[in-house]
């Protein structure tokens, strides 16, 4: 079904509108035409009455028997009245003069006495019609008046009833077919709208419809994007669940196996017991690191999804962090790991401060440095540096390790993704370090820049926004 309603309903509405407009136009034209016709007829009649009044007055001026002259005057549908100087009706060709009231105060009589000629248009109290009056003053002080009935607008309209009914019938028939055809043509672009592909209809659509179709297309694209994001999130959730299960299962299986061997007295040699205990301790530590990383990521996810400060407060309080001192602490904590891997760690720290969560910033730097050592070569080096460039603080970790292929650089910040799985497993990596780096940087509004070539090393730079440090009161 069309988004604009059923075809029949819309067609009826358009037809009804066209028909009403057409009929209203005819009605208005009829009324205006009748008024125009009545006005023209009145002007013609008034002009004729004026001439006739002048002729009758001239005839009366040349005779001594006014009534005899007036009785011989034969003017069709015209009323002829002679009024004395005091307003008494002397003669009237339609009513007995003796029964008529005084006409001295009639407007046309007053005007004739003042200017010699008077005109008026009014309802006649005698005939009950709209009458046109023309009066002329005679030399003896009398006034001769000629009047004629004039059809009004209503009378003209009533005379048009028959033709109007015929015209209305013709208009109804013509309007029906014309409106039906036009309504179909008008609603055709509306009925052709395809909400699944709005752009296909833009060329044939009305100009007024284009913004609506563009908005529908925009909302459709946004919905598709949201569906893709939801699908990606669902896929990532399932992959994350599967990876967590696998990563937790491996150390738990190892711990359970060694513990079972010891508890069943299958290991009697002190050296083997000590070795198994060491392995259990190492796997337990790996398990602890994995759980900690999962909790950290969970807190970061919650903070990113929530707009309240309560979720962010789970990660810790925000305060100024001295980057050189933090990197120095990271270097000291990784000194033993770097020594075992035969990797030298150098510090190139310049003054820089960042307002953030100390624990998150520490994990960000620690994970970058730890990865740089883990994926390095014997005899290689790692440089931890910080400072300010163009007003923005940064942390940079550069190594001389195995590097990252170009097709893998976009994936390394995904959870549980490893460039070299065997090396990471052997050295205790959880696969969540760079994912924590990504989310911690996003939490602080920072950007991550990765530069790497296979067999040439990697440089990762985390650049923070310009910092507004709180003033220290003395």
């Amino acid at each position: 079904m069309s988004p604009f309603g059923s075809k029949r309903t819309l067609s009826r509405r358009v037809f009804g509108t066209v028909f009403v407009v057409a009929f209203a136009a005819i009605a208005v034209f009829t009324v205006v035409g009748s008024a125009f016709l009545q006005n023209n007829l009145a002007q013609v009649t008034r002009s004729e009455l004026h001439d006739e009044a002048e002729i009758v007055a001239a005839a009366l001026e040349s005779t001594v028997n006014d009534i005899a002259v007036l009785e011989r005057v034969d003017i069709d549908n015209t009323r002829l009245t002679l009024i004395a100087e005091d307003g008494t009706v002397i003669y009237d060709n339609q009513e007995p003069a003796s029964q008529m009231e005084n006409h001295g105060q009639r407007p046309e009589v007053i005007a004739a006495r003042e200017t010699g000629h008077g005109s008026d248009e009014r309802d006649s109290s005698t005939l009950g019609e709209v009458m046109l009056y023309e009066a002329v003053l005679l030399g003896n002080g009398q006034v001769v008046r000629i009047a004629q009935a004039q059809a009004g607008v209503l009378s003209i309209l009533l005379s048009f009833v028959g033709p109007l009914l015929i015209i209305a019938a013709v208009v109804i028939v013509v309007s029906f077919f014309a409106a039906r055809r036009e309504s179909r043509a008008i609603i055709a672009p509306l009925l052709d709208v395809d909400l699944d592909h709005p752009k296909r209809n833009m060329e044939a659509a009305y100009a007024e419809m284009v913004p609506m179709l563009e908005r529908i297309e925009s909302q459709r694209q946004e919905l598709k994007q949201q569906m893709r994001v939801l699908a990606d999130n669902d896929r990532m959730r399932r992959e994350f669940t599967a990876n967590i299960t696998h990563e937790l299962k491996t150390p738990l299986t190892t711990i359970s196996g060694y513990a079972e061997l010891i508890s069943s007295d299958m290991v009697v040699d002190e050296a083997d017991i000590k070795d198994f205990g060491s392995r259990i301790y190492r796997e337990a530590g790996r398990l602890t690191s994995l759980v900690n990383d999962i909790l950290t990521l969970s807190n970061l996810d919650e903070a990113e999804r929530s707009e309240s400060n309560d979720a962010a407060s789970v990660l810790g309080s925000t305060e100024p962090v001295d980057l050189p001192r933090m990197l120095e602490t990271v270097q000291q904590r990784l000194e033993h790991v770097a020594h075992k891997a035969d990797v030298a760690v150098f510090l190139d720290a310049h003054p820089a401060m960042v307002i953030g969560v100390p624990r998150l910033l520490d994990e960000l730097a620690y994970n970058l440095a730890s990865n740089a050592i883990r994926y390095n070569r014997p005899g290689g080096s790692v440089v931890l540096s910080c400072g300010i460039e163009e007003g923005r603080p940064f942390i940079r970790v550069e190594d001389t390790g195995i590097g990252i292929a170009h097709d893998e650089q976009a994936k390394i910040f995904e959870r549980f993704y490893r460039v070299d799985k065997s090396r990471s497993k052997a050295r205790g990596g959880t696969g969540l370090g760079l994912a924590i780096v990504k989310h911690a940087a996003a939490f602080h509004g920072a950007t991550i820049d990765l530069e790497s070539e296979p067999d040439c090393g990697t440089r990762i730079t985390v650049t923070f926004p310009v910092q507004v440090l709180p003033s220290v009161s003395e």
Side-chain angles (χ1 to χ4, degrees):
M1 180 177 289
S2 168
F4 303 96
S6 67
K7 179 178 179 180
R8 180 174 297 179
T9 300
L10 188 56
S11 178
R12 285 177 177 175
R13 290 178 180 175
V14 175
F15 167 75
T17 301
V18 174
F19 177 77
V20 169
V21 171
F23 201 79
I26 293 174
V28 171
F29 176 78
T30 301
V31 173
V32 173
S34 298
F36 179 77
L37 179 60
Q38 191 271 343
N39 183 63
N40 284 345
L41 290 175
Q43 290 181 358
V44 172
T45 302
R46 192 176 294 110
S47 177
E48 292 177 352
L49 289 177
H50 181 275
D51 294 340
E52 292 173 354
E54 291 291 342
I55 293 172
V56 171
L60 293 177
E61 291 286 2
S62 61
T63 184
V64 294
N65 192 350
D66 294 340
I67 296 178
V69 172
L70 292 175
E71 288 177 344
R72 292 196 300 269
V73 174
D74 185 14
I75 305 177
D76 295 336
N77 301 321
T78 301
R79 185 172 186 175
L80 186 59
T81 306
L82 181 63
I83 304 167
E85 190 173 358
D86 60 357
T88 303
V89 176
I90 301 174
Y91 172 82
D92 189 272
N93 65 348
Q94 294 183 0
E95 295 288 338
S98 60
Q99 298 179 5
M100 298 178 66
E101 63 183 9
N102 190 288
H103 280 39
Q105 297 301 315
R106 300 295 172 91
E108 67 276 7
V109 175
I110 294 175
R113 295 189 187 283
E114 292 177 352
T115 63
H117 193 97
S119 301
D120 192 29
E121 180 179 343
R122 66 179 181 275
D123 293 336
S124 174
S125 59
T126 304
L127 300 178
E129 297 177 345
V130 176
M131 301 291 290
L132 297 178
Y133 296 93
E134 293 290 335
V136 178
L137 179 66
L138 301 178
N140 59 5
Q142 296 177 347
V143 174
V144 61
R145 186 186 70 175
I146 295 180
Q148 191 175 80
Q150 172 65 46
V153 175
L154 182 59
S155 299
I156 295 176
L157 285 175
L158 291 176
S159 67
F160 287 164
V161 169
L164 279 177
L165 290 177
I166 297 175
I167 293 174
V170 174
V171 167
I172 290 175
V173 175
V174 174
S175 297
F176 175 79
F177 291 102
R180 188 175 181 181
R181 185 190 65 182
E182 292 301 320
S183 64
R184 288 177 177 176
I186 290 171
I187 67 175
L190 304 180
L191 298 177
D192 291 339
V193 172
D194 182 4
L195 295 182
D196 293 330
H197 306 89
K199 285 188 175 180
R200 294 180 182 177
N201 309 105
M202 286 189 181
E203 293 182 0
Y206 298 121
E208 293 80 2
M209 293 173 59
V210 172
M212 180 193 68
L213 295 177
E214 290 177 345
R215 184 173 181 181
I216 292 175
E217 175 65 17
S218 175
Q219 292 177 343
R220 192 176 71 89
Q221 294 298 332
E222 291 178 2
L223 183 60
K224 288 177 63 177
Q225 179 64 27
Q226 291 175 0
M227 294 296 292
R228 284 194 293 267
V229 170
L230 289 175
D232 290 342
N233 290 341
D234 184 64
R235 176 185 58 81
M236 292 175 62
R237 179 188 60 79
R238 285 186 276 105
E239 291 179 355
F240 185 59
T241 302
N243 287 328
I244 287 178
T245 302
H246 175 74
E247 294 293 335
L248 290 175
K249 185 177 180 180
T250 301
L252 286 174
T253 302
T254 302
I255 293 172
S256 177
Y258 288 143
E260 183 180 2
L261 290 174
I262 295 174
S263 64
S264 61
D265 295 330
M266 295 182 66
V267 181
V268 295
D269 187 86
E270 289 292 333
D272 291 338
I273 293 176
K274 185 176 181 180
D275 180 54
F276 284 2
S278 176
R279 294 184 183 186
I280 290 174
Y281 177 78
R282 186 167 60 250
E283 293 298 331
R286 180 183 169 194
L287 188 61
T288 301
S289 298
L290 183 60
V291 171
N292 288 336
D293 286 350
I294 292 173
L295 290 175
T296 300
L297 278 175
S298 177
N299 290 335
L300 283 168
D301 285 340
E302 185 179 355
E304 289 178 4
R305 289 194 300 266
S306 176
E307 297 181 356
S308 64
N309 295 327
D310 295 337
S313 64
V314 176
L315 300 169
S317 59
T318 301
E319 58 186 71
V321 177
D322 186 6
L323 296 186
R325 182 177 299 177
M326 182 187 70
L327 290 184
E328 184 179 359
T329 302
V330 170
Q331 180 191 30
Q332 293 172 358
R333 286 157 54 195
L334 290 172
E335 186 176 356
H336 177 69
V337 177
H339 179 72
K340 288 180 62 177
D342 191 20
V343 174
V345 180
F346 301 98
L347 186 63
D348 181 22
H350 299 275
M353 297 284 287
V354 170
I355 304 297
V357 179
R359 181 173 69 86
L360 283 182
L361 293 174
D362 179 81
E363 288 202 41
L364 182 149
Y366 181 89
N367 285 323
L368 288 176
S370 177
N371 268 20
I373 296 172
R374 183 177 299 114
Y375 293 98
N376 218 311
R377 308 174 186 277
S381 64
V382 174
V383 179
L384 308 180
S385 59
C386 66
I388 297 178
E389 292 181 349
E390 298 181 356
R392 301 176 64 187
F394 70 88
I395 296 174
R396 181 176 295 126
V397 178
E398 187 172 3
D399 64 63
T400 58
I402 63 174
I404 306 170
H406 289 285
D407 58 346
E408 292 187 323
Q409 290 182 10
K411 305 176 183 177
I412 65 169
F413 293 99
E414 295 180 3
R415 300 173 187 190
F416 294 111
Y417 185 83
R418 296 182 176 91
V419 176
D420 186 343
K421 292 181 173 57
S422 60
R423 180 186 294 254
S424 178
K425 290 271 189 179
R427 303 198 177 186
T430 64
L432 297 175
L434 290 182
I436 293 176
V437 170
K438 173 186 174 181
H439 288 277
F443 181 82
H444 290 90
T447 58
I448 301 176
D449 180 53
L450 170 65
E451 300 174 50
S452 183
E453 292 291 339
D455 299 322
C456 294
T458 301
R459 180 169 70 176
I460 298 178
T461 304
V462 180
T463 306
F464 298 89
V466 176
Q467 303 292 302
V468 180
L469 299 176
S471 58
V472 180
S473 58
E474 297 182 355

